[in-house]
Amino acid sequence: MSSLYNLYVSQSSAPKPYTDKAASRYSIWLGQVLIDLALILGWYNPVRNQWPSIFTDDDFLALTGLPSHPGADRDLCDDGEGWVSAAKAPTALQSKRLLLGRRSLLRKKKLPKDLPLFSNIGLLGETLGLSVAGEALLAFAAALQLFPQFCNAIALQAEATSNQSLCHLMARITGIPAKDFAAAIADDGPLAATGILRIPPGSGDLETKLDLIDGFGEVLLCKHASREQLIRRFVRKAAPPTVSLDSFPHLSRDSHLLLDYLRNSLDRRIPGVNVLMHGKPGAGKTEYVKALAAAAGADLYEINYADPEGNPIKGNARLRAYNLCQRFLARCGNALLLFDEIEDVFEPELDLLFRLFGGEDASGGSSGGKAWLNRTLEGNAVPAVWVSNRIGHIDQAYKRRYDYSVSFPQPPKAVRLSMAQRYLRSLHPPKSFLQRIASHDELTPAQLAAAAKVARVVSPEDGGRALEIVEQTLDCSSILLGQTPVSARKAGATGYSLAFLNTDVDLAEILEGIKRRPRCSFCFYGAAGTGKSELARFIAGEVGKSFLLRRASDLLSKYVGEAEKNIAGMFHEARQQDAVLVLDEADSFLADRRGAHQSWEVSQVNEMLTQMEAFDGIFICTTNLMEKLDPASLRRFDLKVRFAPLTPGQRWDIFKQELGRLGGDGKHLAGWETRVRELGGLTPGDLAVAARRFELLGTPATAEKLYQLLRKECAVKGGTLTRIGFAV
């Protein structure tokens, strides 16, 4: 039982029944507190011969058990003086005597011993090391949050209160020294440090002076057999992982380091351990943390983002709950705390941290919020993992406080294939289907899980239809997320072969060199559709690395300096994945600085050149506009490879291959070879366009139709017919 309980034990009859069932159990205490406040603050004094407002306030009267002011000639006071006429206000002495008499009656009745509010505060006191003064403040703040009539009765008096006057007021009510309350509300005290109770500086109305964490009063009003039950409102044991760390081979370097770091930190009880996981939604960050905790042998707890009724818990309350849970879990030597979806905590337009622990608004100039979080990240007893979908808006001062950060890239193809096998296993897909799904560069685990779920619900028996549903669902998801639909990736691709590339170097020799020394930079230049990007993808497969493609649209930004950050992030992601990094449309970032008109145009080129110089992997730039590149950038490339349209022999070979791939009859090729060889400017990309056209029209391919389509494509590009030999 809390020591606070003894402050309110009494020996008398209870006031008249109160309408609120929850509040009625506490009305003996609430009534005494209100009367004490009225006596200490002089609320009983008549103003300009008017009745004191406490005797006309229904909330004050209901909680204290006092009757409304009486009519004339009714004698209500024990001393025989009675009320004066209803038309005339009582004297201050008469009012005070009535309050004293009512308080005496309330103190003669004992409070029930099973009141959850006081027992829960006792649990908190033991766990957080609260003083009796701290418990008393917490009880008073809970009453203001829980019981509207108690709060309204105080609010009616508009009692301006400073921190100092609050301490003296609480001392008068409880008999605890004012210095104990001053210590209880100090910034380094457990109430403020945990975020349970915020007491802003300066003067404010008494009813708003104590800012209790949202919903905490309701938690204190419910029965809890243990402190573990008490904190379930704010934290829960995380569900077991559905995968192991083996499912994240592209993060193996991070995993090995983090396992050692977390294990040693838990063993040695090292304070201030904080790790940040960030990346696009659906990349598997939370599952990775669960797998990491399991591998480290830690008990993972997660800060709640919704209350038991399903209402979202705002960033302000979640942040305060985080600190509270740090104190709760500090005794658990094997606990790891997960704070997921931290975006709302760091919203710049709200600046919650600033207003929470320092200033009144975001423009007040105080740094108290940052100082509080910095202290939190330096001294937390329980190792914490913070997870975010976006970190661009987070202040650098906060980012620097994290010990280690993991940027979650798009999973490489091998991982995507493993994911597809895991999520779609029950649908028994053929290997070719899985390979095609895995070729979707932007695919995330969340998208695959959702598609598999829809297919199992809609068509649990028909495997063929289930796979169609998977593809349809993934297409919808891709469109929603701004990705290329999965179905688009199966259409129009040609059968890839180095034989259909017309370059000015020996590609087989280059491939052997890359395998021996996988640290190089290339510039692939030439006309569109000549196979530059596809060769880069082929190289990644040959050397066993993932493929990371970035376009100008992925990196450019309307904000000055943001593109430079994106460039640096691109190279960091490639290092982390150990990926072949391909920058398409490289002329957008490596344009000749001599023609620059804005400073940011120069800074982007400088940043790209700096990152290229420091990159220790395989970097490939592709461009259709070689003449636009900065001379300094050209010196950075180990090799510049020119891609030209197909030679006459290649034109005929790829024509035959694609006709067969499209279901055409190879028996009717006679007479077409010369015409196909004359298609000047033909590229593999033109064959891909033709393939998509056949799929769109739904017509079978013939040599004549394929030739006519290719002839039109060459004409659109300005190609010419190259006459060779004799026309047939």
Side-chain angles (χ1 to χ4, degrees):
M1 182 62 64
S2 168
S3 55
L4 174 67
Y5 173 86
N6 297 322
L7 295 171
Y8 300 105
V9 172
S10 56
Q11 299 277 339
S12 180
S13 59
K16 65 182 181 181
Y18 183 55
T19 53
D20 187 308
K21 184 177 180 181
S24 65
R25 302 192 67 202
Y26 296 88
S27 57
I28 298 172
W29 168 53
L30 297 174
Q32 289 183 65
V33 173
L34 282 178
I35 291 175
D36 285 340
L37 289 172
L39 291 169
I40 296 168
L41 299 172
W43 295 349
Y44 56 85
N45 289 311
V47 180
R48 294 188 296 275
N49 294 322
Q50 297 294 319
W51 281 85
S53 59
I54 58 174
F55 295 123
T56 59
D57 177 19
D58 290 339
D59 293 325
F60 187 92
L61 297 174
L63 284 172
T64 60
L66 286 167
S68 302
H69 67 79
D73 303 326
R74 290 188 62 187
D75 186 23
L76 295 177
C77 287
D78 292 341
D79 61 2
E81 289 192 22
W83 287 112
V84 294
S85 168
K88 183 180 179 182
T91 65
L93 180 59
Q94 290 172 319
S95 298
K96 184 176 182 179
R97 284 180 175 176
L98 182 62
L99 291 174
L100 288 169
R102 188 60 195 163
R103 186 178 67 174
S104 177
L105 291 173
L106 290 176
R107 287 187 171 180
K108 293 177 182 177
K109 176 76 174 179
K110 286 187 177 181
L111 284 169
K113 292 188 176 183
D114 61 343
L115 293 177
L117 177 62
F118 300 120
S119 60
N120 287 330
I121 290 177
L123 286 174
L124 279 175
E126 295 171 6
T127 303
L128 305 181
L130 296 180
S131 64
V132 177
E135 293 184 13
L137 279 168
L138 191 54
F140 187 69
L144 289 169
Q145 186 181 93
L146 285 168
F147 309 121
Q149 278 139 322
F150 179 75
C151 184
N152 293 340
I154 295 174
L156 184 64
Q157 305 303 319
E159 194 68 46
T161 309
S162 66
N163 286 11
Q164 184 178 18
S165 61
L166 174 66
C167 294
H168 287 287
L169 181 60
M170 292 299 298
R172 293 279 302 277
I173 294 174
T174 64
I176 301 170
K179 62 180 180 61
D180 292 356
F181 285 102
I185 67 173
D187 290 341
D188 58 354
L191 288 176
T194 59
I196 297 177
L197 191 62
R198 179 193 177 223
I199 303 175
S203 182
D205 289 339
L206 177 57
E207 72 279 3
T208 61
K209 191 63 178 169
L210 301 174
D211 178 18
L212 185 67
I213 186 172
D214 290 346
F216 198 62
E218 295 178 4
V219 175
L220 295 176
L221 204 58
C222 300
K223 289 184 177 181
H224 299 98
S226 64
R227 68 189 186 95
E228 286 73 20
Q229 287 186 4
L230 181 60
I231 65 169
R232 283 177 187 169
R233 165 65 169 71
F234 304 102
V235 67
R236 66 178 184 273
K237 192 78 175 289
T242 58
V243 296
S244 68
L245 286 180
D246 293 338
S247 299
F248 302 89
H250 54 304
L251 299 176
S252 59
R253 292 178 62 197
D254 297 300
S255 299
H256 291 147
L257 188 152
L258 284 173
L259 277 175
D260 288 340
Y261 185 52
L262 292 176
R263 285 169 177 163
N264 292 338
S265 298
L266 289 168
D267 289 343
R268 302 174 192 173
R269 298 292 187 97
I270 296 175
V273 174
N274 291 278
V275 177
L276 176 65
M277 308 286 179
H278 62 95
K280 293 181 179 180
K285 298 183 293 296
T286 303
E287 277 302 313
Y288 176 78
V289 175
K290 292 178 180 178
L292 186 66
D299 297 322
L300 184 65
Y301 295 85
E302 184 176 3
I303 300 294
N304 289 340
Y305 49 82
D307 62 22
E309 290 72 41
N311 302 312
I313 302 176
K314 297 179 181 179
N316 183 311
R318 291 185 72 214
L319 187 62
R320 294 165 75 173
Y322 164 81
N323 247 15
L324 174 61
C325 294
Q326 277 286 341
R327 292 295 184 105
F328 274 125
L329 298 173
R331 295 181 180 179
C332 304
N334 207 39
L336 183 65
L337 194 55
L338 168 62
F339 199 138
D340 204 351
E341 299 181 12
I342 66 174
E343 288 78 23
D344 56 346
V345 171
F346 294 95
E347 285 296 343
E349 64 272 17
L350 298 179
D351 203 359
L352 292 171
L353 295 174
F354 175 87
R355 292 188 294 150
L356 181 58
F357 294 99
E360 292 300 318
D361 54 55
S363 60
S366 170
S367 61
K370 288 184 179 180
W372 175 84
L373 184 57
N374 289 339
R375 289 196 302 269
T376 296
L377 292 176
E378 291 171 353
N380 52 300
V382 179
V385 181
W386 305 63
V387 177
S388 177
N389 294 329
R390 50 189 173 87
I391 61 168
H393 65 290
I394 299 179
D395 192 289
Q396 292 293 108
Y398 302 146
K399 291 180 182 177
R400 287 194 294 267
R401 300 290 171 167
Y402 290 104
D403 307 324
Y404 194 84
S405 64
V406 179
S407 174
F408 271 68
Q410 292 300 125
K413 185 174 180 179
V415 176
R416 297 196 301 271
L417 180 60
S418 175
M419 291 182 339
Q421 291 170 335
R422 182 170 68 252
Y423 286 110
L424 305 179
R425 184 182 297 112
S426 63
L427 304 178
H428 308 293
K431 185 177 180 180
S432 59
F433 182 87
L434 293 173
Q435 288 284 357
R436 183 158 55 79
I437 293 297
S439 68
H440 191 305
D441 298 329
E442 301 159 304
L443 196 66
T444 66
Q447 289 174 281
L448 271 173
K453 174 185 176 183
V454 173
R456 285 194 297 268
V457 172
V458 174
S459 183
E461 304 296 335
D462 188 345
R465 185 174 178 231
L467 296 182
E468 292 178 5
I469 293 171
V470 167
E471 188 168 330
Q472 180 179 343
T473 305
L474 288 175
D475 277 350
C476 293
S477 173
S478 298
I479 292 170
L480 179 65
L481 298 176
Q483 303 168 348
T484 303
V486 172
S487 58
R489 296 176 181 267
K490 71 178 181 181
T494 60
Y496 190 81
S497 171
L498 294 181
F500 300 137
L501 297 179
N502 183 14
T503 65
D504 59 352
V505 299
D506 185 338
L507 294 180
E509 185 179 349
I510 295 301
L511 279 172
E512 288 302 316
I514 294 174
K515 291 177 181 178
R516 288 193 304 269
R517 182 180 177 271
R519 186 187 188 282
C520 48
S521 60
F522 297 100
C523 178
F524 292 171
Y525 67 97
T530 50
K532 300 183 292 295
S533 297
E534 284 305 311
L535 176 58
R537 194 184 298 271
F538 178 79
I539 289 173
E542 286 295 296
V543 298
K545 294 180 180 290
S546 58
F547 177 76
L548 182 61
L549 175 66
R550 289 293 179 266
R551 300 179 176 86
S553 57
D554 300 321
L555 305 178
L556 290 171
S557 172
K558 62 182 179 180
Y559 299 108
V560 175
E562 193 68 26
E564 288 86 338
K565 292 181 181 178
N566 293 338
I567 291 170
M570 170 184 73
F571 281 94
H572 174 74
E573 189 174 350
R575 287 190 190 93
Q576 189 180 48
Q577 290 191 43
D578 191 24
V580 172
L581 175 59
V582 180
L583 177 60
D584 202 5
E585 305 164 5
D587 45 276
S588 299
F589 289 99
L590 293 175
D592 194 332
R593 287 169 289 185
R594 291 173 296 184
H597 299 288
Q598 303 292 338
S599 61
W600 53 264
E601 294 179 279
V602 176
S603 66
Q604 288 180 7
V605 176
N606 291 341
E607 180 65 27
M608 182 66 73
L609 295 178
T610 301
Q611 293 292 339
M612 286 173 60
E613 193 74 29
F615 188 58
D616 57 356
I618 301 174
F619 178 52
I620 301 173
C621 283
T622 69
T623 179
N624 302 334
L625 303 169
M626 181 67 166
E627 65 279 2
K628 288 184 60 179
L629 266 58
D630 189 274
S633 70
L634 294 177
R635 292 195 298 270
R636 298 297 201 284
F637 294 111
D638 301 320
L639 192 64
K640 293 169 276 292
V641 182
R642 179 179 177 272
F643 285 69
L646 297 168
T647 65
Q650 288 175 320
R651 297 169 199 166
W652 177 237
D653 290 340
I654 197 172
F655 183 89
K656 291 185 293 182
Q657 173 187 285
E658 292 307 298
L659 180 64
R661 220 170 57 86
L662 294 171
D665 190 350
K667 296 179 181 179
H668 299 87
L669 282 172
W672 292 103
E673 180 175 356
T674 301
R675 300 182 192 184
V676 171
R677 286 174 174 268
E678 292 175 350
L679 292 174
L682 186 68
T683 67
D686 297 327
L687 275 297
V689 172
R692 291 196 297 271
R693 185 78 59 85
F694 278 114
E695 181 172 337
L696 174 66
L697 299 177
T699 57
T702 66
E704 181 178 4
K705 289 179 179 179
L706 179 57
Y707 170 77
Q708 294 298 339
L709 285 175
L710 295 178
R711 190 172 187 275
K712 288 181 180 179
E713 286 300 315
C714 291
V716 168
K717 295 187 297 182
T720 59
L721 290 178
T722 304
R723 310 295 286 181
I724 58 173
F726 295 95
V728 178

